[in-house]
Amino acid sequence: MAVTRYCTRTYLQDQRIFPSHSAKISLTLFVIFLVLLPAFAGQYLLLVASLCGIATISVLGLNILTGYTGQLSLGHAAFMAIGGYTVALTGEHFHLPFELNLILAGVVASIAGLVVAIPSLRLKGLYLIITTMAFQFIVEYVLLHWESLTEGERGIPIHAYSLFQLNLDDRSQQFYVVLVLAIAATILTKNLAMSRTGRAFVAVRDHDIAAEIIGVNLAKHKIMSFIASSFMAGIGGCLYAYVYQRITPEIFTFMVSIEYVAMIIVGGMGTVVGGILGACFMTLLPQFLGLIFGPLSSAYPFMSSRLGAINIMIYGMIIIFFLLFEPEGLFGIWIRIKNYWKPWPFKY
Amino acid sequence: MKTKGMFFSVFLAVVFLFSHSALAEVGVTEDSILFGHFAPMSGPGAYLGKMSVGLTQAWMKHINDQGGIHGRKLSLIIEDNKYDPNLTKTAFFKLMDKKIFALINVYGSSPCVAIMDDVQKAKIPVIPTYASTHLMFLPMKRYWFWLAGCGLESGVVVNDYIYGDLKLKDARLGICYQDDEWGKDGRLGTEIGAKKYGKKPVAVSLKRGSKDLTSQVTTLMMSRATHVYFVGYAPDFAMLIKTAQNLNYRPQFIGDYVSVDARIADWGGPITDGAWAIGVTGLPQEQGMGIDWAKEISAKYMPAPFDKIFIPLQLIIFAGSKAAQTALESCGRNLTREKFVDALGETGGLDMGGLVGKLGYSKTSRKGISQYRVYKFHYGQKKFTMLSDWRYPSIKAEETR
């Protein structure tokens, strides 16, 4: 749950994006690996990698709201849907370029975030959850039933688009766009978390009354948090629409909102690394389970429905496991692993 | 001379190698053809997924035991899509990376719509899709072969039967539909059909996977619907009838083609007796070359209870498999996706031996089914019988566009 680094002695150290040289090198190597990924990955792997990137952007948004500011939301998928449908509609009717669509998706989603944030200022805990959940259901209902605008369940196809001469119809080029935006979102969130505003968010989360006493404007920071969160969700939704090339209400259901909350729980609330780990883990988990259960279903078709149920059970059990035994999520595990190896070969 | 001869041999070998690789189609080897399949293995649609996987594999075993098609054995890769469009998308690309030749026996309106454009772009044949939405065949998509009951046309048939055949002028039709593309198609068809007879049906929707239909039944009861047409899964159809009974409301219930399922007796009890359903397949107790073929394969390769045909939906899967088999056979050894698609387009009018009505594929249409029947359920015998023979809807889906 910590915003500041472990074992830092000066503010300068605390404000660095990369805490150490080894972190800088390992992250650079990781980015190089990602850049080279399209050279050896197939369409499926690239799609899954793009989905991880999109989930990362959206989950970082939710982490700002829930992890840093402590405002629980079960309507994150609705903001993504707003972003996604914005690009679908603007693309269909106004043929706007990709970069403009992207910004527009974020802006429209953040306006929706503002609309939810203002009445939610006086709410917290369960009441806020119910409000955001209601927002999710309203958006779902509108998308499904305002058929003249949204085409209902059949959805809106997203036509081929390009960015700076790149044909983004291609999976590898799509992946690069998602990668660049995911990196940008990570740096932005990291900076925001370490800024004065980010620390105010944490103060609101830890004790709102105490925060107000020390001069943090609660309303302003809650609204800012909602806007930042929904902006990133909108961007995520926009990218989802482009990657899927068709947008339907079923992409952004209540279950998706739950999954996003699960991502920050599993990854670790209030940490950027945790958000990324959670997003990747929860996106890859069904694919990984599919790798195990897919061949089993092929071999034993009459076991398939049971295998499907086991699949879901494992999914639920992992979330329960993290809630009970690893409340700091994958981030906590990561820190423990790091701390274990730091003094190696000595014990302490 | 010897060196020249050697060069010539190498040249010929290279030419042969390259010409051979140029001819090879994705998913087709010397001795196998690889098909892909996705189905929900969990959730409300899992009971159908389990069946579609089992039947497809049984059909393949049957073919393979007979030596395959032109010496090639059929194999299948399965992906669980949980009826989720997102997972269907990744499942499709996974199958594509595994180099499948075609997708076979897939269903689900939302999942199929999610990959509709990708399939067209990748030029992978889908034979057939059981997705009940008219989007699958209107406008025609070269690689999508549709074989199902069209919600829109079934809705028209309901009206044709009630107001046209039975001339029940005072009948008031209600529709309870699953809140998705399939259900909406059914609602639209019911409204279009009713309009033809100067009527206006009452429509209520249900969310897929709903466990309580009290509010839907109450609305239908308040509107005094004498006939209730249901578009959704068979267990939900049985639940609707049961809920109505609990509220002492007894209209004539009519299910769509998925509800032509004898298991509604187990799910709904004796109250399901007399329910009607709009079918697109023959009945298990009927005689016919296709039905006998399906029975033989099921008895030989399927474990109980699927070793017997008791759901006409089983027949529709065999119908799709039969069409695929016919097309594969007519392609010969030199099998390509394009050749396969062209061959499928020529299976129109193929005698399905009672599995379904006349197969409707052609060069300009991918609509496999246009004929419907009205069935009645008999709880005691756990079977459906025919109320009206094969018929075309008075308004076809193509005419509504």
Side-chain angles (χ1 to χ4, degrees), chain A residues 42-44 47 144-145 147 153-154 169 171 244-246 250-251 287 298 301-302 304-305 311, chain B residues 41 53 57 78 82 86 89-90 93-94 97 110 117 121 135 179-181 184 208 302-303 306:
Chain A
Q43 295 245 31
Y44 163 68
L47 175 66
L144 206 59
H145 293 275
E147 289 187 37
E153 207 199 24
R154 77 193 66 161
D169 217 14
R171 286 255 166 253
Y244 269 72
Q245 292 168 348
R246 177 177 283 272
E250 294 219 351
I251 297 177
Q287 305 303 330
S298 304
F302 286 91
S304 54
S305 63
N311 196 333
Chain B
M41 302 298 183
V53 169
Q57 287 193 322
I78 302 155
K82 297 185 172 60
N86 300 350
K89 193 95 170 178
T90 49
F93 281 102
K94 198 191 260 182
D97 279 358
S110 318
D117 307 324
K121 212 178 283 174
L135 282 177
D179 200 356
D180 58 13
E181 207 54 44
K184 280 180 195 164
R208 192 167 50 228
M302 297 287 283
F306 293 104

Side-chain angles (χ1 to χ4, degrees), chain B residues 120-351:
Chain B
Q120 284 295 104
K121 212 178 283 174
K123 297 185 176 177
I124 295 178
V126 183
I127 168 71
T129 166
Y130 306 114
S132 302
T133 165
H134 68 275
L135 282 177
M136 292 289 124
F137 58 89
L138 285 179
M140 181 192 132
K141 290 156 201 77
R142 178 168 165 79
Y143 299 95
W144 284 95
F145 288 84
W146 177 83
L147 195 76
C150 171
L152 207 146
E153 291 189 340
S154 301
V156 173
V157 170
V158 171
N159 283 282
D160 287 347
Y161 186 67
I162 295 170
Y163 300 119
D165 292 17
L166 301 180
K167 302 199 186 309
L168 300 173
K169 301 275 180 229
D170 298 328
R172 184 158 167 72
L173 186 59
I175 172 168
C176 180
Y177 63 99
Q178 198 164 279
D179 200 356
D180 58 13
E181 207 54 44
W182 169 25
K184 280 180 195 164
D185 245 24
R187 188 199 66 196
L188 185 66
T190 310
E191 284 170 354
I192 290 170
K195 200 174 170 188
K196 185 189 160 190
Y197 296 98
K199 306 280 180 185
K200 199 173 185 310
V202 185
V204 286
S205 65
L206 68 117
K207 213 165 165 58
R208 192 167 50 228
S210 291
K211 295 284 173 241
D212 181 26
L213 299 178
T214 310
S215 71
Q216 285 85 350
V217 170
T218 311
T219 310
L220 291 163
M221 198 164 72
M222 301 287 278
S223 65
R224 296 197 180 91
T226 56
H227 292 70
V228 173
Y229 175 44
F230 179 80
V231 184
Y233 289 124
D236 296 343
F237 180 50
M239 182 164 65
L240 180 81
I241 299 174
K242 257 177 111 169
T243 312
Q245 185 203 20
N246 292 342
L247 296 173
N248 210 17
Y249 171 52
R250 289 181 186 173
Q252 175 62 56
F253 284 103
I254 310 154
D256 89 333
Y257 82 107
V258 173
S259 296
V260 187
D261 186 334
R263 289 175 298 177
I264 60 168
D266 306 327
W267 295 320
I271 192 74
T272 54
D273 189 52
W276 301 346
I278 308 299
V280 292
T281 64
L283 289 169
Q285 68 267 24
E286 285 180 315
Q287 296 296 309
M289 198 179 63
I291 294 179
D292 294 342
W293 176 73
K295 281 179 183 167
E296 183 199 324
I297 296 175
S298 301
K300 198 169 171 188
Y301 298 103
M302 297 287 283
F306 293 104
D307 55 341
K308 290 186 179 63
I309 303 277
F310 57 94
I311 319 169
L313 208 63
Q314 288 167 280
L315 298 178
I316 210 170
I317 293 173
F318 278 113
S321 307
K322 179 93 185 160
Q325 186 178 337
T326 308
L328 286 171
E329 281 166 354
S330 73
C331 281
R333 270 296 285 177
N334 186 15
L335 179 64
T336 64
R337 281 175 179 161
E338 293 304 316
K339 238 177 131 177
F340 179 56
V341 168
D342 289 338
L344 279 165
E346 284 163 15
T347 54
L350 180 76
D351 180 13

Side-chain angles (χ1 to χ4, degrees), chain A residues 229-241:
Chain A
S229 167
S230 46
F231 181 85
M232 286 169 81
I235 299 282
C238 163
L239 291 172
Y240 227 110

Side-chain angles (χ1 to χ4, degrees), chain B residues 82-129:
Chain B
K82 297 185 172 60
Y83 208 91
D84 176 338
N86 300 350
L87 288 176
T88 307
K89 193 95 170 178
T90 49
F92 172 70
F93 281 102
K94 198 191 260 182
L95 291 170
M96 231 173 91
D97 279 358
K98 285 182 180 170
K99 312 266 182 241
I100 54 159
F101 171 69
L103 280 170
I104 193 157
N105 292 335
V106 298
Y107 73 93
S109 300
S110 318
C112 287
V113 167
I115 58 160
M116 201 159 67
D117 307 324
D118 299 302
V119 163
Q120 284 295 104
K121 212 178 283 174
K123 297 185 176 177
I124 295 178
V126 183
I127 168 71
T129 166

Side-chain angles (χ1 to χ4, degrees), chain B residues 39-82:
Chain B
M41 302 298 183
S42 46
Y47 82 104
L48 288 178
K50 184 176 157 182
M51 197 179 71
S52 72
V53 169
L55 291 176
T56 309
Q57 287 193 322
W59 165 69
M60 287 186 168
K61 271 184 201 159
H62 170 74
I63 299 280
N64 293 343
D65 285 355
Q66 292 180 329
I69 296 176
H70 297 296
R72 290 190 178 109
K73 302 224 165 159
L74 309 182
S75 52
L76 187 71
I77 308 179
I78 302 155
E79 286 295 328
D80 180 8
N81 70 342
K82 297 185 172 60

